[in-house]
Amino acid sequence: MSTAPHTCDHAPAPAGTHPADTLRQAGLDVRPLPGAIDETPVGLRRAVAQRDVPLLFRGLTDDWPARRAWTPDAVRHAHGGRQVTALMHLPADGVLYPRDQALYEQTLTMVQFIDAMLTASPASPCYLAYQRAADLFDIAECRFAELLGERDELDSDTRVWIGSAGTRSMLHSDLKGNLFCQIWGEKSVTLLSWRESPAAYPFPDNLVNSQIDIARPDLARFPRLSQVTFFSGVVGPGDILYIPRGWWHDIRSRTPSVSVNHWFGPPQSFSEYLALLARLGPAYWRRTASDFVRHGLLGQREETRFFFSPPSTGKRLYQALTTGSFSRDNDPTS
């Protein structure tokens, strides 16, 4: 992606700082993550059926084997010699990586990575992220099928995230419904409804990544922030947060952390993204047309400076017209 990063002269926010605090200090409307009344699999399935309301289920995975088998000590003993490729010495501030993501990648043993993630400074975090859980662990130790029942469709996908304090997945939107589960440690999660997408200020070349750093909201640059409601809270060990498809979410590690997420269900449609593109205006239309030619027709390589960069909107439009799938390279289950 070629969009230039927005620089800031202020020091990074401390890893333990909750983004909700900075949003409230800026005068924005921030409410607690909605908590489930029925914290059972039945309650979760009911929330998924409604599909438009996020809900936090405390302690719903307390009896999962993964809660014991995927802790740093257990991983060190069971998988210590395995080689992994992790993101090391990541930036602690800014929305885009200063360099291409590949330049942060380093191959090392799991023991070496666990040692690094437990001791890394929040100013230089490290992350073993977006890994297919089945490639590292026994996926049966997570019981998503039991939670979702028939809604756990064939095109679901489970990923594991192991990282130090200070890791960040900046404000972005997923194509599918998401069960975000905390195995060990704590993360802060901040949500914004898909209906409020213009206030997320997507990048002109990328409708699923926001230009906003919610730890340092800039209302002069992003004035629509003052018109929306955020939901924010801490997700701890044993908790599951249901994030409906399309909802914008920012996730940050308050401590060294092990998390797992499960994408499921049908993706957002081509028409939903076209409707958003229409709302965003001419600057987005021009960039989409340019990327349609450069990265679609001409096949030019795109930069990867987002957190696991998706294709540009223009390239996705090209794919929709040539393959019938707007989300082919951005669907985590494909």
Side-chain angles (χ1 to χ4, degrees):
M1 301 293 176
S2 57
T3 308
H6 175 57
T7 59
C8 181
D9 295 332
H10 302 295
T17 301
H18 199 302
D21 297 335
T22 57
L23 292 172
R24 290 192 181 103
Q25 288 166 9
L28 303 183
D29 184 10
V30 186
R31 303 180 187 179
L33 292 173
I37 296 174
D38 181 4
E39 294 183 317
T40 67
V42 172
L44 177 63
R45 289 193 286 272
R46 186 180 300 118
V48 169
Q50 294 172 349
R51 205 159 74 177
D52 62 350
V53 179
L55 279 179
L56 179 61
F57 294 78
R58 296 286 189 190
L60 191 52
T61 69
D62 280 344
D63 63 347
W64 280 12
R67 290 272 285 108
R68 297 175 294 278
W70 296 13
T71 66
D73 281 346
V75 171
R76 183 200 305 272
H77 288 100
H79 308 282
R82 180 193 296 267
Q83 285 204 325
V84 295
T85 299
L87 300 173
M88 306 298 290
H89 307 295
L90 291 168
D93 200 15
V95 177
L96 292 174
Y97 291 144
R99 302 180 296 159
D100 191 275
Q101 179 176 296
L103 298 177
Y104 297 95
E105 294 178 353
Q106 180 179 334
T107 299
L108 64 173
T109 66
M110 184 69 86
V111 163
Q112 291 171 323
F113 175 75
I114 293 294
D115 288 344
M117 62 88 75
L118 290 174
T119 59
S121 164
S124 182
C126 58
Y127 218 175
L128 180 60
Y130 204 65
Q131 299 287 310
R132 290 191 186 275
D135 292 343
L136 293 178
F137 305 130
D138 180 357
I139 196 62
E141 293 171 335
C142 290
R143 296 173 175 167
F144 290 108
E146 293 179 17
L147 288 179
L148 291 170
E150 294 179 357
R151 296 185 181 278
D152 191 35
E153 302 174 14
L154 293 176
D155 57 353
S156 62
D157 186 36
T158 306
R159 302 276 177 153
V160 67
W161 312 76
I162 306 173
S164 65
T167 59
R168 307 169 298 142
S169 57
M170 304 296 286
L171 193 65
H172 68 284
S173 170
D174 289 341
L175 296 167
K176 292 174 173 281
N178 186 1
L179 297 185
F180 176 79
C181 313
Q182 193 63 19
I183 300 298
W184 186 84
E186 289 186 345
K187 286 187 172 178
S188 62
V189 181
T190 304
L191 304 178
L192 180 68
S193 172
W194 169 256
R195 291 187 294 272
E196 307 288 3
S197 288
Y201 290 89
F203 280 89
D205 59 345
N206 180 342
L207 294 188
V208 297
N209 284 77
S210 170
Q211 300 179 69
I212 296 165
D213 182 352
I214 63 169
R216 193 171 292 107
D218 184 344
L219 270 66
R221 187 175 178 222
F222 305 120
R224 287 193 291 269
L225 288 175
S226 63
Q227 304 167 14
V228 300
T229 297
F230 288 91
F231 298 89
S232 192
V234 174
V235 181
D239 296 346
I240 285 186
L241 177 63
Y242 167 55
I243 306 174
R245 72 180 189 184
W247 272 66
W248 296 84
H249 48 288
D250 178 288
I251 302 178
R252 299 171 184 241
S253 294
R254 296 166 59 84
T255 69
S257 169
V258 180
S259 312
V260 62
N261 85 289
H262 187 72
W263 284 295
F264 65 95
Q268 284 188 287
S269 67
F270 183 26
S271 61
E272 289 175 285
Y273 282 105
L274 286 182
L276 174 58
L277 188 62
R279 293 172 68 190
L280 291 172
Y284 287 80
W285 307 342
R286 289 191 295 268
R287 184 56 187 264
T288 298
S290 172
D291 288 341
F292 181 95
V293 174
R294 293 171 57 218
H295 304 302
L297 285 172
L298 301 180
Q300 295 179 7
R301 181 185 179 274
E302 297 182 292
E303 291 182 296
T304 55
R305 294 174 60 201
F306 294 102
F307 185 67
F308 296 97
S309 297
S312 65
T313 307
K315 183 175 180 180
R316 294 173 70 184
L317 179 59
Y318 174 82
Q319 291 174 341
L321 296 176
T322 56
T323 70
S325 174
F326 182 70
S327 303
R328 188 187 65 175
D329 290 345
N330 190 217
D331 186 343
T333 66
S334 62

